[in-house]
Structures are given as structure tokens and as C-alpha cells.
Amino acid sequence: MSETALDALLHETRRFPPPETLARDANAQPALYDEAAADRIAFWEKQADWLRWDRRWTTALEWDPPFAKWFVGGRLNACVNAVDRHVEAGFGDKVAYHWIGDGENETRTITYADLQRLVCQAANGLAELGVQAGDRVAIYMPMIPETVVTILACARLGAPHNVVFCGFSADALRGRILDADARVVVTTDGQFRRGSPTPVKPAVDEAVDGCPDVRSVVVVRRTGGDVAWTDGRDVWWHDLVDGQPDSHDPEAFDAEQPLFMMYTSGTTARPKGILHTTGGYLTQVAFTHRMVFDLKPDTDVYWCAADIGWITGHSYIVYGPLCNGATSVIYEGTPHPADQDRWWKLIEHYKVSILYTAPTTIRTLMKWGHELLEPYDLTSLRVLGSVGEPINPEAWMWYRTYVGGGRTPVVDTWWQTETGAIMISPLPGVTTTKPGAAMQPLPGISADVVDNDGEPVPAGGGGYLVLTEPWPSMLRGIWGDDERYRETYWSRFPDIYFAGDGAKRDEDGDLWLLGRVDDVMNVSGHRISTTEVEHALVGHPMVAEAAVVGATDATTGQAIVAFVTPRGSVAADVSSGDEFVQALRNHVAKEIGPIAKPRQILVTPELPKTRSGKIMRRLLKDIAEHRELGDVTTLLDPSVTDAIRGRMSESGSED
Ligand code: PRX
């Protein structure tokens, strides 16, 4: 299709009903909404029945706002549900994962039977290190099969895992290990990035240096080469795991047994350990994975291109697909300018039928051009998913038109680390979609858009997105901090979950997500707190003050822009130079991780403040987005903003 045809489509009615055959054969039918509306709890119980329970629950939901317990009294093992169950049902030879490494010609095919053996060995290995039910295990690993194996081994033992994205710094890792009080860390010697080895273990060594209670560091050999070694603490994966028996007796745990914690950024400098438990989480991730992607486990090849280090990877690379017995692709790499058609090659080769990725990636692939897709047969694709940030209608249309050949439904899925699973999304065989809209809450989910007073907005209105009823995969709290849990999510509107997102309800009652309404930025689908970056910047000895805003960016959704005031005595010539800016960017990378590096840092003698001394971030955002300034009447010294604007127009953006 030509660019003009795409343009024309963008101006058409913009409604895409499901293709007839899909509507007929899809897993989800319109009646599902009625069924859930008639009895929400019975509906979720029916979904929970898809899992294997060693003991059935006695009460489906105990709700003592804001604390929920689902499937109370039930007992199950998450790993058995993800792996053993399928082997016992005769699907041992079925491929669980096609893994493709970021190096040359590196692939692995892992069946469900392979996975069962690997996981049992790993569970036996961890048990030998003394890991028991309830112990936290930190995982700092790239996208390799051993990462999934470690996660499942922890689940098998009832030991909550705390996976930290490998792009986080040693400092960030240390904070998460300490907060979770993990005693064992699993990592690799290094990882491949664009085919080149880069070290991983040094960050763990540095992090664990400040964690006196960590007794073991298990190291998977991934890249080879020398690594520093601490005898008595460090142990090679192959020494610990490879010789273990490949069977392991799984124990059934309480439905509310903690399954994992995942740290995520909020409005304060300290990340929060979002806690998920077992029965409700598995129920909802499996249900949504089946329905939202219309999964047909016998024929589909599913590819979720997220990183396992984020919630999307947990729910839709590991637990959801495995609980449904799906065949998935895991690709270690990310789109790279030197290898622009890699994705299309992979889709053709593996006959991928369901693709799930983030708008940032779609926009990057779009920038490289649809011509790159033409040599490839992508007709295997039948459902396309989007997640992590608002998807602009142009990217949505490009995705459907070029990647999906104009045939495939696009499901824009809204959810969060806290929700554990998809909450608002079209259903492929049911929903008539609109480019850019997440449409309706899934069956069993109650969402609303409310105004400042918590009153629902009428059709056509905008406001705050809230979730009005508990759901099975909801976070059970913030690790070790019930008060913060209450305060963060349940205090803005009493007993109603406040998601932190703005949303619009259109004339048809469909939902459009508008992005965060708090101090959280969304950069390439990664959640980063402005406060956290500010905190890192002011931690630099030459910085007096810093203010950080998320500015709209055509590719990454938002980009980090920092305004920094150097310390008084620091020579002005140093502080305004590139070297200083570079030093600050590196400092942020060291404190948090490369993902938090500001795109642009503007060094300025002063920041705009109100008469009461508050930094006016709103104005800085206007400046960063090159907009006319909003209300400046409360500004103490209006000349400050003029000076910053002058500097902004002189400076280019970094990288
Ligand atoms: O702002 C919303 C945005 O991502 C936030 C959640 O980030 P995180 O916990 O890292 O989880 C990302 C993957 C689920 C939300 O508060 N977000 C996520 N999905 C969408 C979205 N914004 C708009 N549309 C979406 N589909």
C-alpha cells in the first residue's frame, strides 16, 4: 500500500470490525462480557478452573479494602501449571520456546519436556544453596533461556523472584536486593549486545559489595572470558545445576503465596517493590493471554518482544504463554539500525502468528520504512498487540496496514506492573477497533474515568483512570510498606484504585489512554520517575539543583529533559561545557542505568520558581516541548524562563 493510501485510511471512519471468520472462531465471544457482568466472581472462578489446583479454594475473594485475597484456601504450584501439567498431558515434545540469540546463528529450541528437566535441575540446585519457600532470589540476567528457567525454579520452590532488568546499574540493583532482602543472586558473566560481549557480573559484584546478607551468587557462563570471583560466595551455574537430578517433587503452595516482586518507579525517588501472589495472578495472565491474543495453542507461534526484566516479560513471555501451553519466540536482541529487517526475517522464518510489542518499537520500524517488509512473507501473522505507552493512530495504522497486511486486528492493551495482567483491551473476534483506543475493560474488570471529585465523566469527557473493583492479578501490596501501598493507590479516591493515568471516554463510551498524570515519565515504554532522575543529578557533587521533565518525543513517546543548576563555586566555563553535561549523563547512568540518561541536559544559573520557592516544572515542560509558556503569573522572576529558553534554542539534543 502506498503512503497516500495510508494517509487516506487515516482520514476514513477509522473503525475496524473483526473479520467474519475470526469473529466466528475466536476464543472470546460477545457473551463473555454479559457472563462476567452477571456474576463477576463466578466468572473469575471459572477462569481459575483452567489451572491445576492441588486443593480447590473455599472463598473466591476476601476484600478488605485495599487488601485482597483471591481463591482463599486454594493450593497450587505455579511451575507445575506452567510446565509439568503440559508434559503430563502428552505435550512434552511441544516447543515451549524458540530462542534466538543476539550473536551469529545462535538458536535453541526448548520443548516442554526440556523445560521441565532444566527447571527441576535448577530447583534442585537452588535448594542445595538453601533456598526455601518464602526466600527471595534476585535475578539479574539477559534474555536467555536460563532466565526463564531460574524464574520457574524459584516458583517451583515457592521462593519469590525479584528480577531486575539487566540495564539497571549496580546501585539500582543493590537497592532492590536490599529492599527485598534477597540472599541469593543469579546472574551471568556477560551478555551479547549486537553480537558483542559486554560484562554483567561486575555490576553484581559492585552491588553485592553493599549487601552483607547475600550468601550466594550463581553465575551462568554466557560470554566466556575472565570474571572476578569471590570464593565461597560465587558458584558457576554449570557446577551447581548441570549435575542435579532432572526430577523434583513440587510442593503445592497457598494461592496467596508471594510469587514475585517487581520494582517499579513511582513519584518518589525510591522504587516500589510491587508484590504479586500465585493463584489470582496466574488465573488472570492465562485468561488474558488466551482471550486478548485469541491464542490457539496447537497452531500459534507467539512472540512477545518485551524484556523478561519487566512485567510484560513476566506475564506474557513466561507465565501466561506457559500456563496456556503456547509456543513462543524469545529474541535476545532489540531492533538495530545495522540489521533493520531482522524482525521480518524472524517472523517469516518462525511463522509467527501473534506479535506483541511496544509503540516505540513500532515507530522505530516505521521510521525504517515499510519497503523493508516487502521481501518477506508475513501472512502467518493474525493478531498484533501493543503495550506500554499510548499508541498514536499513525503507528497503529502502520502496524495494521504493513505488518498485518491490513487483515489483522490490533489490540492496544492497557495495564501496569501493579495490575499484573491486561485490563483494558479489544478482543480480536469481538471488538470493532479504533486506531489509538484501548476500547473497553476486559470481561471481569471494572474501570472508569472520573473527575477531580471521583465522579464518573460523561461520554466525551476526560479525567483519571480508576479501577473500581478488585481483580485477581492485582498487586497485593508494596513489599514491606502497607502504608505506602494505601497512600499511593487508594487515597486519591477512597477505596478505588487510582492508576496514575489520564484517560478519555469518547462518545461511544470507548477508552483512550492519555499518559501519566503524575511525575512518572514513559520513555520507550519504560517507566522512569522524574524524582528519581532529579535525585541522581543532585547527588553529583557539582550540581546544586535539578528539575526533570518528560518531553514529547516522536520515537520514544517521551524523552528525559533535565535542567541543572551548577554549584555556586564551580567555574561557569566548566559547568556549561559538553564535558560537564556528559559527566552528568554518565552519572545518571551509573546511579540508575543507561535507560535513565537524559536526552538533553540544560545547564542554567537558575530554575523558574514560584514566590514560595517551588520549581515550576510545568513551565519547564513547556520550554522542553518548545511551546508557548502557560500561566506565569506566580513566577518569582520571569527573566529566568527567558534565559532558559534562550539556552534551549542554542543547545541541540544529546544522542
Ligand atoms: O501510563 C501507562 C502506560 O504504562 C504505565 C505502566 O507501566 P509499567 O508498569 O512499566 O507497565 C508497562 C507494561 C504493562 C501505565 O500506567 N501504559 C501501559 N500500557 C499502555 C499505557 N499507556 C497507554 N496505552 C497502553 N496500552
Side-chain angles (χ1 to χ4, degrees), residues 312 388-390 412-417 501 513 516 522 527:
T312 307
E389 41 175 331
D412 173 20
T413 64
W414 179 88
W415 59 293
Q416 309 178 296
T417 304
D501 279 282
L513 275 306
R516 303 288 304 192
N522 193 323
R527 212 164 127 173

Side-chain angles (χ1 to χ4, degrees), residues 25-74:
D25 302 334
N27 296 344
Q29 295 295 321
L32 206 62
Y33 289 97
D34 303 332
E35 189 190 327
D39 188 341
R40 205 170 52 84
I41 303 295
F43 170 82
W44 283 121
E45 288 192 283
K46 190 168 153 191
Q47 306 315 325
D49 271 329
W50 273 73
L51 299 174
R52 179 193 289 181
W53 295 82
D54 290 66
R55 189 164 80 207
R56 208 169 190 275
W57 58 93
T58 47
T59 311
L61 170 66
E62 271 178 24
W63 180 222
D64 178 14
F67 298 98
K69 287 184 183 161
W70 281 86
F71 310 117
V72 182

Side-chain angles (χ1 to χ4, degrees), residues 423-437:
M423 303 292 281
I424 305 176
S425 167
L427 288 174
V430 178
T431 315
T432 292
T433 50
K434 302 173 184 173

Side-chain angles (χ1 to χ4, degrees), residues 15 21-22 64 107 164 174 196 226 245 256 305 384 493 509 518 541 630 633:
R15 279 179 166 73
T21 47
L22 178 58
D64 178 14
T107 58
V164 180
R174 183 187 308 117
S196 312
D226 291 340
E256 285 297 334
L384 301 176
F493 306 107
D518 53 13
T633 48

